[in-house]
């Protein structure tokens, strides 16, 4: 094991994904590790994704939350700014992710990422329509947003395990 800065580049990253669209854009981070995953998988080299076919979607955001990592300071304000990006979009909602509190008394507490941050979850009625790169830029320009879970143009190949037992191999268009 080496720190990222000492690895001298990463030739190959292999990971799962929560969603894969026809252009091999991904949603990742429903487990909350999107920042570290994006740092590693975006550091160059090949990025191979392994999923089952339930992860293939026509548009990102079709099957669940698209996560956005935000700093805890002013998180409600940042949540409001994230909501503004999709202002007026029917069926859109966003909230801060919570988890059941460990005290077992049925309370909820903030979900904290491995970097000590919070997660805003964005929900779309029928997936994200529009220019994903533009939406990405708008989200990343919000002060308080650390990173989001759309991995655009990063996957070089996707290995898809199908229900019938066969495997399909998809490659990024050049
Ligand atoms: O994207 C991910 C985390 O960011 C995971 O790879 C993804 O959630 C894997 O899901 P599953 O356990 O259903 O294979």
């Amino acid at each position: 094991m080496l720190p990222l800065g000492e690895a001298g580049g990463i030739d190959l990253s292999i990971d799962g994904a929560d969603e894969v669209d026809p252009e091999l854009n991904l949603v990742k981070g429903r487990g909350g590790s999107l920042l570290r995953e994006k740092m590693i998988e975006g550091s160059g080299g090949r990025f191979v994704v392994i999923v089952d076919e339930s992860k293939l979607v026509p548009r990102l955001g079709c099957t669940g939350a698209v996560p956005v990592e935000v700093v805890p300071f002013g998180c409600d304000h940042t949540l409001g700014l994230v909501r503004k990006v999709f202002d007026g979009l029917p069926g859109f909602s966003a909230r801060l992710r919570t988890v059941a509190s460990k005290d077992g008394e049925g309370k909820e507490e903030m979900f904290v990422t491995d970097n000590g941050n919070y997660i805003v979850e964005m929900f779309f009625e029928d997936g994200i329509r529009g220019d994903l790169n533009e939406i990405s830029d708008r989200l990343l320009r919000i002060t308080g947003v650390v990173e989001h879970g759309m991995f655009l143009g990063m996957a070089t190949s996707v290995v898809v395990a199908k229900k019938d037992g066969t495997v399909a191999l998809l490659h990024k268009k050049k």
Side-chain angles (χ1 to χ4, degrees):
M1 290 267 277
L2 284 174
L4 189 54
E6 289 173 25
I10 294 178
D11 297 327
L12 172 66
S13 307
I14 302 174
D15 201 354
D18 300 304
E19 292 185 350
V20 180
D21 82 3
E23 307 300 318
L24 308 193
N25 297 313
L26 316 172
V27 168
K28 287 184 56 58
R30 288 187 186 156
S33 296
L34 64 101
L35 176 59
R36 294 187 185 194
E37 290 173 350
K38 199 178 264 194
M39 286 177 72
I40 292 166
E41 291 150 12
S43 68
R46 286 189 297 143
F47 173 28
V48 177
V49 176
I50 302 177
V51 293
D52 66 58
E53 65 183 327
S54 70
K55 306 292 181 77
L56 301 183
V57 294
R59 280 176 301 286
L60 298 187
C62 275
T63 66
V66 179
V68 179
E69 185 157 345
V70 302
V71 296
F73 176 80
C75 59
D76 289 312
H77 172 70
T78 308
L79 172 63
L81 295 176
V82 169
R83 285 183 175 140
K84 269 194 173 172
V85 172
F86 299 96
D87 209 15
L89 181 68
F92 171 78
S93 66
R95 64 176 185 217
L96 285 155
R97 182 183 296 177
T98 57
V99 287
S101 153
K102 288 186 194 82
D103 65 15
E105 288 178 17
K107 289 190 209 131
E108 291 282 308
E109 61 188 27
M110 297 305 297
F111 174 87
V112 179
T113 71
D114 39 19
N115 313 294
N117 293 318
Y118 293 166
I119 293 284
V120 168
E121 298 183 308
M122 307 189 298
F123 295 92
F124 299 85
E125 201 167 70
D126 194 24
I128 309 177
R129 293 173 189 272
D131 183 335
L132 294 178
N133 285 301
E134 189 192 322
I135 291 166
S136 164
D137 288 348
R138 289 184 66 190
L139 289 169
L140 294 175
R141 274 201 302 272
I142 297 171
T143 308
V145 165
V146 179
E147 192 46 86
H148 59 69
M150 293 186 291
F151 285 44
L152 306 180
M154 289 175 59
T156 43
S157 311
V158 178
V159 180
V160 185
K162 298 169 98 172
K163 278 193 206 120
D164 64 9
T166 61
V167 171
L169 195 51
L170 310 175
H171 294 293
K172 184 178 174 178
K173 291 180 197 127
K174 297 223 166 118

